[in-house]
Amino acid sequence: MMKTVFALACLLAASAAADVCFNDVSNECGRNTNSLALPSCNAVYGNFGRQGNVANELQAYANLHLRRSYEFLLSSAYYHNYQVNRPGFSKLFRKLADDSWAKTIELIKHVTKRGGTMDFHSRSPQEATEEKNNTIELQELESLARSLDIQKELAERAFFIHQEATRNNHKTHDPEIAQYLEEEFIEDHAKTIRDLAGHTSDLKQFITSNGGNDLSVSLFLFDEYLQKIA
Amino acid sequence: MKTFLLIVATVLAVCSSAFATQCNVNPVTIPKQWITMSQGCRGAVRKQVQMEVAASVQYLAMAAHFSKDSVNRPGFAKLFFEASSEEREHALKLIEYLLMRGELTTNVTSLITIRAPEHKYWSSGQAALEEALKMETEVTKAIRNVIVKCEQDREDNDNNDYHLVDYLTGEFLEEQYKGQRDIAGKASTLKKMMDRHSALGEFIFDKKLLGMDI
Ligand SMILES: [Fe+2]
Ligand SMILES: [Fe+2]
């Protein structure tokens, strides 16, 4: 008996949830006013927004891309000043900046696609509140290392949101977000990270081999190489 | 994966501690007489870079607003996303100019700070276009002030930076005036369309912005 009542209640709840926009329309159109309040006629479905977490994370992810994109832009600028003068490194950072900028726009579009409102103040609880020492005026290996760390941060944040959106959390389960992250972000991250890690390995060898005597010519040639591939 | 992390960590540890110069080539100095931008002019251009970046973020917020399900104006969203990327390009052009003149060897990190946009809600497409026009007018005024500073830097023997002044006047002001005319034209057309059929007017104008014929 108890079970039947419970099942019935659930059924009612489910059907109510499915018709909320229609109910809004039915109720509101019958009134004789010149306004329509249709709060349920929106693009929000599933758990996006209800729990807030995935929705907020996605906005924070957009904001993170925005900040990182301008940081990479500054790195690219720094590497193009007449003293540092490494056009290959500059090109590499410029590409990271452009990619991150495109993803910022892409994420904002997706937030609104799912019925969210983009909040430019959103931060993920995953982020440290104050970032320490984020100077971009670094020498070659340091700036590659910093880029590698940032790309991993972006990749691991995607994993985190994906995890929220998938099996581990029934309350935030959202397969659309999971597949979106896989297709638009996760695939590319692996390559970017592998490439940057490879660059640091190359630089490491230039630094350590032959007592470091090859370094200045090596860096010059490596920069020429970056100009070709980036 | 772990190995890579280890390599990076080790390399970094080695670089930043005992052998501070092991990982890089010693900096060199070459004569600096060719670097001739005055300090005040340089500062004015740097501020302008930040203003262009702030405009790019403000346009992002406009685009985000018109992308919302409850607003649903994809044409306006497209217009403002494109405007946002254009502002970013303006920042880039100024940065490239500074680099050409021998600048940005130091204090690069502080050149750009990202702040959340000031406005995030617009009551209509018309309101957003008018705000865009106001914003562009402020940018134009700011560029004019950079020109004034660079044409006669009173703190630096009235130094006149002819080339930068020409560049700002020819490239930047030209684009500002054309851009302002474009927004003003759009705002006028939209306002006329909204005169008696406001909902339909904005709907049709939005689709026109999308490049659609209806
Ligand atoms: Fe601009
Ligand atoms: Fe503009």
Side-chain angles (χ1 to χ4, degrees):
Chain A
M1 186 55 197
M2 249 344 248
K3 263 189 186 159
T4 330
V5 171
F6 184 67
L8 210 70
C10 285
L11 210 69
L12 277 173
S15 68
D19 299 337
V20 284
C21 175
F22 184 78
N23 288 344
D24 277 359
V25 172
S26 305
N27 294 335
E28 289 286 313
C29 290
R31 300 190 332 163
N32 217 350
T33 57
N34 218 349
S35 70
L36 278 178
L38 305 175
S40 301
C41 296
N42 56 44
V44 182
Y45 63 98
N47 291 312
F48 193 88
R50 189 186 302 163
Q51 294 297 325
N53 206 14
V54 169
N56 179 63
E57 284 294 335
L58 215 56
Q59 292 165 42
Y61 202 39
N63 288 326
L64 181 65
H65 276 86
L66 177 61
R67 277 180 286 135
R68 295 301 183 231
S69 113
Y70 274 112
E71 276 171 39
F72 280 129
L73 203 65
L74 288 178
S75 290
S76 170
Y78 179 68
Y79 271 82
H80 218 242
N81 79 41
Y82 81 94
Q83 280 175 342
V84 179
N85 207 34
R86 298 271 189 228
F89 280 83
S90 180
K91 197 174 162 196
L92 173 74
F93 296 134
R94 175 63 192 276
K95 185 166 186 309
L96 295 175
D98 289 352
D99 288 349
S100 205
W101 175 256
K103 296 294 184 196
T104 307
I105 290 176
E106 173 55 44
L107 278 162
I108 293 173
K109 285 181 179 168
H110 206 83
V111 166
T112 56
K113 184 185 215 170
R114 292 298 307 275
T117 299
M118 178 63 200
D119 177 0
F120 288 84
H121 292 282
S122 272
R123 289 278 184 285
S124 169
Q126 303 285 302
E127 285 170 44
T129 34
E130 263 321 300
E131 278 179 41
K132 36 167 180 94
N133 185 28
N134 53 357
T135 177
I136 56 92
E137 289 145 67
L138 302 165
Q139 39 104 333
E140 288 85 351
L141 183 56
E142 281 177 338
S143 59
L144 281 182
R146 170 113 178 102
S147 306
L148 180 60
D149 290 344
I150 289 176
Q151 290 301 321
K152 284 185 185 175
E153 175 196 36
L154 293 173
E156 284 169 0
R157 184 68 60 78
F159 282 10
F160 174 76
I161 306 172
H162 189 275
Q163 180 177 302
E164 291 287 294
T166 46
R167 64 191 162 73
N168 283 332
N169 201 330
H170 292 296
K171 286 183 180 158
T172 55
H173 179 230
D174 193 327
E176 195 275 338
I177 295 296
Q179 93 82 31
Y180 166 71
L181 288 172
E182 286 172 16
E183 199 171 302
E184 296 288 330
F185 293 86
I186 291 168
E187 238 175 73
D188 299 341
H189 286 153
K191 185 183 186 315
T192 312
I193 288 170
R194 173 62 183 78
D195 287 349
L196 288 170
H199 295 337
T200 61
S201 297
D202 283 340
L203 283 202
K204 183 202 161 200
Q205 284 175 22
F206 299 147
I207 290 164
T208 52
S209 71
N210 198 17
N213 285 325
D214 297 340
L215 187 58
S216 77
V217 175
S218 303
L219 282 174
F220 176 80
L221 287 175
F222 189 71
D223 187 71
E224 299 275 307
Y225 163 73
L226 285 181
Q227 288 179 55
K228 298 247 160 60
I229 63 153
Chain B
M1 193 65 185
K2 279 223 173 98
T3 328
F4 278 126
L5 274 176
L6 205 66
I7 290 174
V8 176
T10 319
V11 170
L12 270 181
V14 168
C15 291
S16 57
S17 59
F19 313 95
T21 57
Q22 181 189 335
C23 292
N24 63 313
V25 180
N26 284 333
V28 293
T29 41
I30 63 159
K32 286 191 166 58
Q33 290 89 329
W34 67 281
I35 301 170
T36 51
M37 271 179 79
S38 78
Q39 198 187 333
C41 175
R42 176 194 307 125
V45 177
R46 285 177 62 102
K47 255 177 70 190
Q48 191 59 37
V49 171
Q50 175 63 42
M51 191 178 195
E52 301 288 346
V53 171
S56 84
V57 178
Q58 184 58 70
Y59 275 128
L60 273 187
M62 286 188 181
H65 171 81
F66 286 96
S67 301
K68 282 173 60 168
D69 53 357
S70 55
V71 180
N72 199 37
R73 290 288 174 257
F76 283 93
K78 179 169 173 276
L79 178 75
F80 293 133
F81 274 127
E82 283 164 6
S84 173
S85 291
E86 271 171 31
E87 298 308 332
R88 179 177 177 266
E89 292 291 329
H90 297 163
L92 255 165
K93 272 173 84 172
L94 291 174
I95 288 173
E96 269 154 25
Y97 187 88
L98 288 171
L99 290 166
M100 178 185 78
R101 295 291 301 275
E103 299 293 333
L104 296 183
T105 52
T106 55
N107 295 324
V108 181
T109 311
S110 58
L111 186 61
I112 291 174
T113 314
I114 301 298
R115 292 187 197 90
E118 276 179 50
H119 306 279
K120 55 181 180 179
Y121 177 81
W122 294 269
S123 55
S124 64
Q126 181 68 26
L129 284 178
E130 286 180 19
E131 167 139 354
L133 189 55
K134 192 174 148 227
M135 208 163 90
E136 293 298 344
T137 310
E138 279 162 19
V139 171
T140 305
K141 196 174 150 204
I143 293 170
R144 283 176 52 93
N145 287 338
V146 180
I147 292 172
V148 169
K149 187 76 189 169
C150 295
E151 191 163 43
Q152 191 177 31
D153 191 347
R154 292 181 198 284
E155 285 125 72
D156 192 3
N157 302 320
D158 289 340
N159 184 60
N160 185 331
D161 204 316
Y162 298 103
H163 184 263
L164 174 55
V165 166
D166 179 61
Y167 182 64
L168 288 174
T169 310
E171 295 250 347
F172 276 75
L173 283 186
E174 164 117 353
E175 196 170 333
Q176 282 308 115
Y177 292 136
K178 279 184 177 163
Q180 285 171 192
R181 167 62 185 82
D182 182 56
I183 300 171
K186 285 188 166 75
S188 303
T189 301
L190 176 59
K191 200 162 192 174
K192 281 185 271 181
M193 287 171 75
M194 304 262 297
D195 183 27
R196 264 172 251 174
H197 309 280
S198 63
L200 193 56
E202 194 181 273
F203 176 85
I204 293 171
F205 191 79
D206 180 68
K207 304 315 161 219
K208 255 194 84 76
L209 287 177
L210 265 186
M212 192 187 275
D213 268 326
I214 56 167

